[in-house]
Amino acid sequence: MSDLALSTEILTAIREVYGVSEGVVPLHVPVFDGNEKTYVIDTIDSTFVSSVGAYVGRLEEMMCKITGARHAIATVNGTTALQMAMILAGVKPGDMVVTQSLSFVATANAAAHAGAVTAFVDIDAATLGLCPKALRSFLETQAVQSDGGTHHRDSGRRIGAVVPMHTFGNPCDLDGLLTVCEEWNIPLIEDAAESLGSLYRGRPCGTFGLMGTVSFNGNKIVTTGGGGVILTNDSAIAKRAKHLTTTAKLPHAWRFTHDEIGYNFRMPNLNAALGCAQLEQLDRFVAFKRDLAARYHARFSDMGIEFVVEPPGTQSNYWLCAILLSDTTQRNAVLETTNAAGVMTRPVWDPVHQLEMYRHAPHGPMPVTSDIAARLVNIPSGFRPNAGF
Ligand SMILES: *Cc1c(COP(=O)(O)O)cnc(C)c1O
């Protein structure tokens, strides 16, 4: 079959499975048909739209309930949540942070904003997340362990954190990664930006590392407009996270005293109100996406096309569904045909180690990253309240 004929068949399959026979099909848009308006109007009526208000605490409590994490600290977005998590894990300016190259650029940017240099490691084909074997091999060939911690051999930089990401909501191999991190004595922080509602061996993503961070950006499974959260079971870290993200102000009825250079990373109450209403519907969003993924999977399997499925032992939130084509030419044909017809599909991010600002960063071999980046296409995955399934 020609690439054009295949692209047309894929277009038809997406429209049929997603249940939109004509017109524009977005990749992912938020749906606000719960208590969103009520809660947001409540913040306006109360005048507490900004840094003080009850919804922030409520959102943090909801996140603890949903994930089982002991503490949740809301932030202004997922990138700042990650930056703060790295700082709290002890990453200092001049240190190194190891992450995967196949990720949204924010993972690497957060490390850069914390003053660290990023090193990139390949992903695992089964999870699309950081590969434990590749991580071990990177450390064995490029790092040395001593009393003072683990250092990158060539640059002498201390490796302050390993940050895997659960790509499109598919949990990465946490057991494997935690084992390597323990052996090398490096804290693990989960970039769980895309995986709220995903489970690894029955437990929510974002709760395995020293910290995990979630994003509530407009394109994620649940949105606050813009927002994020830091999850941790460590009370001292949680306390410091709240203090540092809220300008390091000492509690007092009227005085303005700050005891260190803090950050204004807090989530406004207005955004938290939207988020509380969205979180109430998380189960419904996840159920829809898992159902949609099962339908796509069945349909694409019939066509002989690979659909990206959750790794064994995990439950993905299927935030973004994805298919793998045979090569870049075929992928480009599919992107052209579908987008021209109003069905939004997207290639995966350019591998971050190849972007101009990270080109000179240390990295391991990237066979899987290169292969996936050349062939993957994300297909429409947003919640549809009236889809009828
Ligand atoms: C969305 C996202 C972020 C950053 O979240 P923002 O809330 O947009 O700052 C970080 N990492 C990954 C992998 C993401 O997808």
Side-chain angles (χ1 to χ4, degrees):
M1 197 192 306
S2 75
D3 285 347
L4 180 60
L6 182 83
S7 301
T8 309
E9 279 198 9
I10 289 175
L11 174 63
T12 305
I14 294 173
R15 282 205 179 274
E16 282 181 16
V17 172
Y18 201 61
V20 181
S21 56
E22 55 183 20
V24 171
V25 183
L27 187 69
H28 199 284
V29 285
V31 172
F32 303 122
D33 64 355
N35 288 319
E36 286 87 352
K37 281 185 186 159
T38 312
Y39 295 172
V40 169
I41 288 168
D42 183 38
T43 67
I44 294 170
D45 289 343
S46 74
T47 76
F48 288 109
V49 294
S50 191
S51 50
V52 180
Y55 284 103
V56 174
R58 191 157 142 193
L59 177 132
E60 291 173 340
E61 269 170 36
M62 288 180 84
M63 284 301 293
C64 288
K65 269 226 179 79
I66 289 165
T67 63
R70 230 168 275 152
H71 308 280
I73 300 89
T75 59
V76 73
N77 57 47
T79 310
T80 51
L82 258 181
Q83 180 187 340
M84 187 50 56
M86 291 177 198
I87 291 168
L88 293 167
V91 171
K92 299 269 185 304
D95 282 356
M96 181 175 280
V97 167
V98 181
T99 189
Q100 60 205 61
S101 175
L102 197 90
S103 183
F104 180 53
V105 70
T107 320
N109 287 350
H113 293 315
V117 159
T118 316
F120 299 98
V121 166
D122 207 5
I123 52 166
D124 185 336
T127 67
L128 305 187
L130 191 64
C131 174
K133 273 193 202 136
L135 175 64
R136 173 172 278 127
S137 146
F138 174 83
L139 292 169
E140 281 173 355
T141 53
Q142 299 205 29
V144 282
Q145 224 177 341
S146 69
D147 290 347
T150 295
H151 288 77
H152 183 243
R153 192 180 293 128
D154 286 353
S155 64
R157 295 178 190 277
R158 194 185 71 95
I159 301 180
V162 167
V163 186
M165 197 277 283
H166 306 293
T167 306
F168 310 140
N170 299 316
C172 62
D173 180 357
L174 284 162
D175 284 346
L177 291 166
L178 284 163
T179 303
V180 178
C181 285
E182 257 166 50
E183 279 170 25
W184 287 82
N185 197 20
I186 309 170
L188 184 147
I189 298 167
E190 292 170 78
D191 181 350
E194 305 179 354
S195 52
L196 179 61
S198 297
L199 308 176
Y200 179 81
R201 303 203 191 290
R203 192 168 122 197
C205 286
T207 63
F208 289 81
L210 179 60
M211 280 162 275
T213 62
V214 174
S215 165
F216 298 122
N217 190 34
N219 62 347
K220 298 303 199 295
I221 189 162
V222 159
T223 187
T224 59
V229 81
I230 302 168
L231 303 171
T232 186
N233 288 330
D234 185 312
S235 310
I237 285 179
K239 202 168 163 214
R240 201 163 144 64
K242 195 69 185 175
H243 187 61
L244 264 188
T245 52
T246 56
T247 71
K249 183 178 178 295
L250 298 178
H252 191 275
W254 56 81
R255 282 185 59 192
F256 291 98
T257 311
H258 307 257
D259 62 354
E260 58 184 308
I261 302 175
Y263 298 78
N264 183 13
F265 283 176
R266 64 189 138 201
M267 177 188 286
N269 200 43
L270 191 64
N271 299 78
L274 187 69
C276 288
Q278 287 266 288
L279 285 173
E280 288 171 355
Q281 303 168 77
L282 176 64
D283 289 349
R284 173 183 180 227
F285 296 160
V286 174
F288 171 88
K289 281 164 178 287
R290 291 186 57 78
D291 196 354
L292 176 66
R295 284 160 193 267
Y296 272 141
H297 186 199
R299 180 63 185 263
F300 284 115
S301 298
D302 285 348
M303 297 167 65
I305 291 169
E306 189 178 350
F307 178 79
V308 175
V309 291
E310 63 196 4
T314 74
Q315 265 190 64
S316 177
N317 67 3
Y318 282 105
W319 168 58
L320 279 189
C321 291
I323 52 175
L324 283 164
L325 285 314
S326 57
D327 55 35
T328 305
T329 314
Q330 195 177 76
R331 180 203 67 175
N332 291 347
V334 169
L335 288 169
E336 288 280 346
T337 303
T338 49
N339 283 293
V343 171
M344 278 177 65
T345 60
R346 291 291 179 265
V348 73
W349 316 282
D350 285 359
V352 179
H353 78 283
Q354 291 173 341
L355 299 180
E356 182 58 32
M357 59 283 193
Y358 294 114
R359 253 180 36 211
H360 303 291
H363 63 83
M366 295 287 175
V368 185
T369 297
S370 305
D371 175 53
I372 296 296
R375 301 193 292 121
L376 190 137
V377 170
N378 286 119
I379 57 179
S381 311
F383 175 68
R384 286 189 57 226
N386 303 312
F389 59 86

